[in-house]
């Protein structure tokens, strides 16, 4: 059983569209991070959220941590081809020192 | 400055052979992590080194897997008697502090900087 479920697994959209990807769990996390990974490269950290209900914005990307600290979402406004990549969420559980990763959402933005 | 580097970038081996994968972390980073990423899977934690503490080996899938970190810097992941299911991309990451960081708010992990990975193919 996957501790962090990401949906959708794959998303193909046109440039300019908006989208939301989700990261859900039945477990509570102390904090949650979102990464983007491009082909042939390692993941790059986008954001860390630590407070239930927290919303963070990074240009056209909006990240939200659920009130109960069990889920998170990533919303992209006016997607661009440069947003193409694998988006991974990763959470830190109570009592753990290492992250648990979801399987990721593969986003393809076409011109 | 230089990021995390890994070598080789690609490795093809025959079933039953041993392989060594190398990771050069960012200078000054005390924490080093190894992950495995298989097709359609997320990152699977393998092992974590922090300073001079005993490594957290809880993610190693079998006793065929081992890792060491010499001098608090370079790390080598060794897979003995490789199997086809070991085929994956092996990623290394380093961070300044590592582990759970608490600074007046909820615990989090400091930024992990990933290398480009080693793609291992076991025939």
């Amino acid at each position: 059983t996957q501790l962090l479920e990401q949906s959708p697994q794959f998303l193909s959209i046109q440039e300019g569209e908006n989208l939301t990807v989700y990261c859900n769990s039945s477990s509570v996390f102390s904090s949650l991070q979102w990464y983007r990974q491009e082909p042939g490269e390692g993941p790059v950290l986008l954001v860390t959220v630590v407070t239930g209900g927290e919303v963070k914005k990074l240009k056209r990307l909006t990240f939200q941590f659920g009130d109960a600290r069990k889920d998170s979402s990533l919303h992209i406004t006016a997607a661009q081809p440069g947003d193409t990549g694998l988006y991974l969420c990763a959470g830190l559980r109570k009592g753990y020192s290492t992250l648990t990763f979801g399987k990721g959402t593969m986003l393809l933005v076409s011109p | 400055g230089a990021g995390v580097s890994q070598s080789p970038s690609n490795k093809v081996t025959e079933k039953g052979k041993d392989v060594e994968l190398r990771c050069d972390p960012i200078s000054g980073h005390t924490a080093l992590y190894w992950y495995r990423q298989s097709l359609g899977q997320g990152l699977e934690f393998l092992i974590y080194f922090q300073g001079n503490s005993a490594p957290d080996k809880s993610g190693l899938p079998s006793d065929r897997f081992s890792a060491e970190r010499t001098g608090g810097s370079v790390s080598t992941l060794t897979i003995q008697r490789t199997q086809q299911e070991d085929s994956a991309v092996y990623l290394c990451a380093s961070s300044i502090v590592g582990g759970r960081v608490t600074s007046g708010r909820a615990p989090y992990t400091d930024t992990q900087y990933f290398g480009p990975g080693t793609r291992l193919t076991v025939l």
Side-chain angles (χ1 to χ4, degrees):
Chain A
T1 302
Q2 190 73 15
L3 197 63
L4 278 169
E5 296 284 350
Q6 290 193 243
S7 62
Q9 293 183 25
F10 183 78
L11 189 57
S12 180
I13 62 172
Q14 296 294 314
E15 182 176 3
E17 292 184 26
N18 301 331
L19 67 115
T20 302
V21 298
Y22 300 93
C23 176
N24 295 303
S25 178
S26 58
S27 297
V28 175
F29 291 90
S30 302
S31 58
L32 199 137
Q33 297 179 330
W34 284 91
Y35 291 80
R36 181 170 67 209
Q37 183 178 21
E38 299 186 18
E41 299 181 7
V44 175
L45 179 65
L46 297 174
V47 76
T48 300
V49 285
V50 299
T51 306
E54 182 176 4
V55 176
K56 278 193 172 179
K57 293 191 175 183
L58 183 65
K59 296 183 180 179
R60 295 175 292 99
L61 278 62
T62 301
F63 305 85
Q64 184 164 9
F65 198 13
D67 292 340
R69 314 168 74 90
K70 294 183 178 181
D71 56 84
S72 181
S73 64
L74 159 59
H75 181 78
I76 301 179
T77 303
Q80 299 178 0
D83 296 327
T84 292
L86 179 68
Y87 288 82
L88 295 157
C89 67
L92 182 66
R93 286 182 287 165
K94 184 178 180 180
Y96 286 78
S97 298
T98 55
L99 293 170
T100 300
F101 281 81
K103 291 186 178 182
T105 292
M106 183 65 216
L107 172 65
L108 175 62
V109 182
S110 302
Chain B
V4 177
S5 60
Q6 294 187 244
S7 60
S9 55
N10 282 283
K11 176 72 176 179
V12 180
T13 190
E14 294 180 348
K15 177 181 174 181
K17 300 281 190 181
D18 297 351
V19 295
E20 286 189 352
L21 311 180
R22 178 187 169 104
C23 172
D24 283 88
I26 294 173
S27 177
H29 282 194
T30 63
L32 187 148
Y33 305 79
W34 282 99
Y35 296 91
R36 177 168 69 176
Q37 187 173 31
S38 304
L39 190 63
Q41 303 294 318
L43 270 67
E44 176 189 7
F45 164 73
L46 297 177
I47 188 168
Y48 158 52
F49 297 88
Q50 184 179 33
N52 296 319
S53 302
D56 177 352
K57 303 178 182 180
S58 61
L60 294 178
S62 77
D63 58 7
R64 296 187 295 105
F65 289 73
S66 63
E68 63 177 19
R69 188 178 185 191
T70 54
S73 180
V74 172
S75 177
T76 302
L77 177 69
T78 301
I79 308 174
Q80 295 178 311
R81 306 181 301 282
T82 52
Q83 303 294 314
Q84 289 183 332
E85 59 262 30
D86 298 334
S87 295
V89 175
Y90 289 82
L91 291 160
C92 172
S94 70
S95 69
I96 296 174
V97 176
R100 296 175 71 85
V101 178
T102 55
S103 57
R105 55 179 189 164
Y108 64 100
T109 58
D110 63 336
T111 301
Q112 294 185 24
Y113 297 86
F114 284 82
T118 293
R119 180 174 295 279
L120 175 66
T121 302
V122 182
L123 301 177

